[in-house]
Amino acid sequence: MIKKITFSITDSEDLKKLKSFKEVHMSTCRDKYPDVLGALLEYTFIPTGLGNYCIVKCSCGEQITLDKDLA
C-alpha cells in the first residue's frame, strides 16, 4: 500500500510572502508565459530533518524561497 504524503504552507509570514508573489505574477506573467494546463507557478518541497524547504518558481523564471521552518 502506498502512503500519501501531503505538504502545506502554514506559517503566516510565508503565506503573506507567497500571496504577494502570486498577485504580482498572476497579473504580469499570465499572458506572457501561458502554460498548456494553465499552471503559472511551480512548487518544490524539500523535506529535511529541520523542516520543509519550499521553492515557488514562476514561469518567467523568478522564484522565492519559503523556509520559515528552517529559521
Side-chain angles (χ1 to χ4, degrees), residues 30 34-41:
R30 176 176 277 166
D35 182 270
V36 175
L37 300 174
L40 181 66
L41 301 176

Side-chain angles (χ1 to χ4, degrees), residues 12-51:
S12 61
E13 288 181 37
D14 282 344
L15 289 171
K16 287 178 188 175
K17 190 175 174 182
L18 177 59
K19 182 180 178 183
S20 174
F21 184 79
K22 283 175 67 174
E23 286 175 355
V24 168
H25 289 273
M26 289 301 236
S27 64
T28 61
C29 298
R30 176 176 277 166
D31 296 330
K32 295 179 189 175
Y33 305 97
D35 182 270
V36 175
L37 300 174
L40 181 66
L41 301 176
E42 172 187 319
Y43 295 81
T44 304
F45 290 91
I46 304 169
T48 71
L50 300 174

